[in-house]
Every structure is written in C-alpha cells, then in structure tokens.
Amino acid sequence: MFYRLLVFFFLFQSYTAISQAPGIVVQAGLTSMYSKDKTITKDGEMHYGWVVGADARLLDGDLYFIIGGQYINTSLRSSTAPEFFVKRDWKVMSGRCGIGFNILRLSESMVFRSKLIGCINFLIDAPSDGLGLEGYKNLNDSFLGAGTGLGFTIGSLDLDFEYQYGLINAYNKVPDSKFGSLTLLVGFHF
C-alpha cells in the first residue's frame, strides 16, 4: 500500500509540475523582531517595524532558486504595543538567497509554497550609542540568519509568512544577542 501511494504521489507531482514562472516579486510587509537577551528584548515585547523588498525566482518548476533583498526599518528598543510605523531608528539591508518549492498546487494559478533561505543583514543606520547601556553600545556591522516560510500565490498576488532564526550576534561580544523575526509580506509577482 505504501509503495502505491508513493507511486501515485510522484505521478501526481509530474502532472502538476507546470509551475509558477520565474520572475520578480516586489513585496512589502510588517515585521516583529526579538532577541533571547532580556536586556535587548524585554519580556512580552518585540521590535516592530516594516519591510520592503524584492525576490527573483529563477528556473521553472516546483523547485526554484530565490535571490533577493529587503530593507528593514524597525526599532532598536523593544515595545509592548505593535507600533510598526513610529520610533523607527534601526535600519537594516538584508541580502537573501536559497530555494523555494511548491507544496500544493490547487490550480494553475493557486499554489501553496515554502522556502529555505540564508540571510545576511547589514546595518545601515542605528543610534550611535546602541541601547546606551554598558556592553550594548556596539552593534556589529552585519549578522546572519536562516529563514523559512509559508506562502500562498493566487495569480500574480503573493502572501507570505516568514520566520528568520538569528545565527550570529547583533551586538559585539554580547552572547544571545541574535535576532529572530516574524514577517508578514504581501507581494506582486511579475
């Protein structure tokens, strides 16, 4: 029985392999960042902000490459209220690359997707004294992250939810100052 299901799955996949065409996705959304360090991100708080960017999808098929970038405008200080558009003092440019893949094709124009990406985040602007606390004054020029996400495409419209896990500390010589993020994006594929 298992082998029959496996054969059916591969036949179904080859039938649905008429995939999303390569192209550019221009996107914008909201992000919430956090750190395990309680001095950086206090309990029950997040670093709220917004994101704009573009990803290029390369190759036809249910598996494709992603190369892109995002501009992230957020707050270096955490807050309890989701203030996405006020007090933005931390600006980051994120370069991204990885693979994307279709999970489920509902029709020719409706697809559930996922992705695995690596991100390098470059500091563009931040307060010169960081958080202003001893040990939390020197932000690194860049830090790394690994991300995944779930997305839904309907025609040329994309809706994505992404999670990024911090791999390298954002503050110099401060353990657990890695930043993770949750991001909701709306994009237009052309």
Side-chain angles (χ1 to χ4, degrees):
M1 178 68 177
F2 173 75
Y3 295 111
R4 287 182 188 162
L5 286 173
L6 191 60
V7 168
F8 173 75
F9 174 76
F10 283 114
L11 288 174
F12 181 74
Q13 285 298 331
S14 65
Y15 173 74
T16 62
I18 311 162
S19 92
Q20 177 170 332
I24 301 288
V25 178
V26 177
Q27 52 199 236
L30 302 174
T31 188
S32 300
M33 299 175 74
Y34 62 92
S35 174
K36 291 180 183 177
D37 186 312
K38 299 303 178 195
T39 303
I40 299 169
T41 308
K42 296 175 178 51
D43 284 330
E45 297 185 354
M46 299 280 269
H47 304 262
Y48 297 101
W50 52 268
V51 176
V52 293
D55 285 339
R57 292 182 183 155
L58 309 173
L59 300 178
D60 276 335
D62 283 334
L63 181 67
Y64 49 90
F65 292 104
I66 299 172
I67 298 172
Q70 291 180 334
Y71 174 78
I72 304 164
N73 193 349
T74 188
S75 176
L76 194 56
R77 296 188 184 277
S78 62
S79 64
T80 56
E83 300 168 334
F84 293 100
F85 300 102
V86 293
K87 296 189 261 182
R88 305 303 86 187
D89 62 356
W90 190 26
K91 294 162 183 53
V92 175
M93 182 62 78
S94 179
R96 313 151 32 103
C97 68
I99 59 169
F101 48 93
N102 295 338
I103 298 172
L104 177 64
R105 181 175 299 284
L106 300 175
S107 73
E108 191 60 35
S109 63
M110 292 179 18
V111 179
F112 282 100
R113 304 171 281 99
S114 187
K115 64 183 90 172
L116 298 170
I117 54 175
C119 305
I120 182 163
N121 303 295
F122 296 99
L123 178 67
I124 294 174
D125 189 27
S128 60
D129 66 341
L131 287 178
L133 303 171
E134 194 59 43
Y136 294 90
K137 294 182 180 181
N138 297 321
L139 283 159
N140 290 327
D141 291 335
S142 62
F143 53 98
L144 295 175
T148 188
L150 290 174
F152 180 68
T153 297
I154 182 164
S156 294
L157 187 65
D158 283 358
L159 180 63
D160 285 274
F161 177 75
E162 294 183 355
Y163 168 72
Q164 185 179 141
Y165 179 79
L167 297 174
I168 293 184
N169 293 321
Y171 284 89
N172 189 22
K173 298 180 182 176
V174 177
D176 287 334
S177 66
K178 302 171 188 77
F179 275 89
S181 67
L182 302 169
T183 306
L184 182 63
L185 296 164
V186 175
F188 184 76
H189 184 154
F190 58 97

